Amino acid sequence: MVPLNEDGPEQGVCAICQDLLKEAVSTDCGHLFCRVCLTQHAKKASRDLCCPLCRKPCSKGVLGEGYLCHRHQKRVRSFCEESKLLLCVECLESPEHRSHLEPTIGDAISHYKERLNRRSRRLRKDLTELQRLKAQEEKERQALQTDCGNRRLHAELESQHQTEGQLDAPPLQELGQLEHTSAEGAGTLNLSEAVTQLGTLVADLERTAKELDANTLKDARDLLNRSAPQKLDRLLSLLPPAGPAPH
């Protein structure tokens, strides 16, 4: 590893990789590092995170709230829900944001984490119900196929005295049963797709809530929009209608 520059990094240069800063973050002591470099350093730290350059302790939020505003090169403090951008103090005073009420990054993380968890719990219940319906339809389809097979065998035994042409033609009742079986199969396929898609969405919600930080606030907002009930009409339409509310 290249030794750190103990006299302090040049402006715009990471003190760890000694290359131009990429996604610069600032420690509490004011030193700048690439986010990836500081993240790798944090993973190797056996104790509390310290600045790799001066060894002073760093706050837990340095890799989140330590982001620098690309426009003003100052530490970001707030999250704009309208523009989905992290803002510093100067951004907040600009005309485009002055009239907005942007929460601090900490408040935004708490707010979105609560919404993500609430949404995932609700959709987890819908997913469980879809899985139950899928298992039930699959069981009914298999039972119907077995019954059709038994009926066909019985019909063939009863029809041995008929002509070969008559033997090859299945009874009309059996044809109806087979068509019904095909319809059941199509229904099960739709449920399978719904279970897969909703399961992936629930997993994304749970993972994003668990790993949420300043860098993923925008992703959290997009995920909440994508998982809104009105966006899931096609999937949730397979659920049975809710019963009347108790008086």
Side-chain angles (χ1 to χ4, degrees), residues 68-125:
L68 297 182
C69 168
H70 294 293
R71 180 183 299 179
H72 304 110
Q73 292 300 304
K74 291 187 177 181
R75 183 176 295 189
V76 294
R77 301 292 183 184
S78 301
F79 175 69
C80 178
E81 294 191 347
E82 185 171 335
S83 64
K84 305 176 186 177
L85 295 175
L86 298 174
L87 308 177
C88 70
V89 174
E90 289 193 26
C91 291
L92 293 173
E93 295 176 352
S94 65
E96 60 183 309
H97 295 290
R98 191 177 299 165
S99 60
H100 299 168
L101 294 176
E102 284 89 357
T104 64
I105 291 178
D107 289 343
I109 290 176
S110 298
H111 171 71
Y112 278 100
K113 183 170 292 189
E114 180 181 353
R115 290 184 61 189
L116 288 165
N117 285 327
R118 186 166 61 245
R119 181 70 55 78
S120 66
R121 286 194 297 268
R122 175 181 176 181
L123 293 182
R124 173 68 67 179
K125 293 180 180 179

Side-chain angles (χ1 to χ4, degrees), residues 171-205:
L172 291 177
Q173 181 180 4
E174 183 181 345
L175 286 173
Q177 291 284 1
L178 290 175
E179 290 175 357
H180 182 65
T181 301
S182 299
E184 289 289 333
T188 302
L189 180 62
N190 289 335
L191 278 172
S192 296
E193 292 175 346
V195 167
T196 299
Q197 293 178 23
L198 193 57
T200 299
L201 191 57
V202 170
D204 288 345
L205 286 164

Side-chain angles (χ1 to χ4, degrees), residues 11 27 43 62 70 79 84 117 136 146 166 181-182 204 214 218 244 246:
Q11 185 176 8
T27 56
K43 290 180 179 178
V62 66
H70 294 293
F79 175 69
K84 305 176 186 177
N117 285 327
Q136 177 181 329
T146 300
Q166 290 175 323
T181 301
S182 299
D204 288 345
K218 176 182 179 298

Side-chain angles (χ1 to χ4, degrees), residues 1-245:
M1 178 178 176
V2 179
L4 297 177
N5 182 355
E6 298 295 341
D7 295 330
E10 299 178 9
Q11 185 176 8
V13 175
C14 172
I16 295 179
C17 68
Q18 297 185 4
D19 201 347
L20 294 178
L21 288 166
K22 298 178 181 179
E23 293 188 35
V25 292
S26 172
T27 56
D28 299 337
C29 50
H31 292 125
L32 302 178
F33 304 92
C34 300
R35 181 176 184 272
V36 172
C37 294
L38 190 58
T39 300
Q40 292 175 345
H41 171 77
K43 290 180 179 178
K44 296 177 181 178
S46 57
R47 298 182 180 179
D48 294 337
L49 177 61
C50 295
C51 173
L53 196 61
C54 66
R55 304 301 177 186
K56 291 182 179 179
C58 299
S59 62
K60 294 181 179 179
V62 66
L63 291 172
E65 295 188 35
Y67 277 108
L68 297 182
C69 168
H70 294 293
R71 180 183 299 179
H72 304 110
Q73 292 300 304
K74 291 187 177 181
R75 183 176 295 189
V76 294
R77 301 292 183 184
S78 301
F79 175 69
C80 178
E81 294 191 347
E82 185 171 335
S83 64
K84 305 176 186 177
L85 295 175
L86 298 174
L87 308 177
C88 70
V89 174
E90 289 193 26
C91 291
L92 293 173
E93 295 176 352
S94 65
E96 60 183 309
H97 295 290
R98 191 177 299 165
S99 60
H100 299 168
L101 294 176
E102 284 89 357
T104 64
I105 291 178
D107 289 343
I109 290 176
S110 298
H111 171 71
Y112 278 100
K113 183 170 292 189
E114 180 181 353
R115 290 184 61 189
L116 288 165
N117 285 327
R118 186 166 61 245
R119 181 70 55 78
S120 66
R121 286 194 297 268
R122 175 181 176 181
L123 293 182
R124 173 68 67 179
K125 293 180 180 179
D126 293 333
L127 177 61
T128 299
E129 178 63 14
L130 284 176
Q131 290 171 330
R132 185 191 67 80
L133 291 173
K134 176 187 172 185
Q136 177 181 329
E137 285 206 357
E138 179 65 21
K139 183 177 180 180
E140 292 175 354
R141 186 178 66 85
Q142 291 178 353
L144 186 57
Q145 286 178 332
T146 300
D147 182 62
C148 286
N150 292 336
R151 288 173 179 269
R152 183 186 182 96
L153 178 60
H154 178 73
E156 289 177 351
L157 292 175
E158 291 291 331
S159 303
Q160 287 182 356
H161 64 281
Q162 297 179 359
T163 63
E164 183 176 353
Q166 290 175 323
L167 180 61
D168 291 339
L172 291 177
Q173 181 180 4
E174 183 181 345
L175 286 173
Q177 291 284 1
L178 290 175
E179 290 175 357
H180 182 65
T181 301
S182 299
E184 289 289 333
T188 302
L189 180 62
N190 289 335
L191 278 172
S192 296
E193 292 175 346
V195 167
T196 299
Q197 293 178 23
L198 193 57
T200 299
L201 191 57
V202 170
D204 288 345
L205 286 164
E206 292 174 344
R207 183 182 66 256
T208 303
K210 183 178 180 180
E211 301 175 355
L212 188 62
D213 59 15
N215 189 46
T216 54
L217 279 171
K218 176 182 179 298
D219 297 333
R221 181 175 173 82
D222 292 341
L223 184 55
L224 285 168
N225 289 336
R226 183 157 53 91
S227 62
Q230 58 269 27
K231 300 289 183 65
L232 303 178
D233 285 343
R234 180 174 175 271
L235 297 179
L236 301 183
S237 64
L238 299 174
L239 292 170

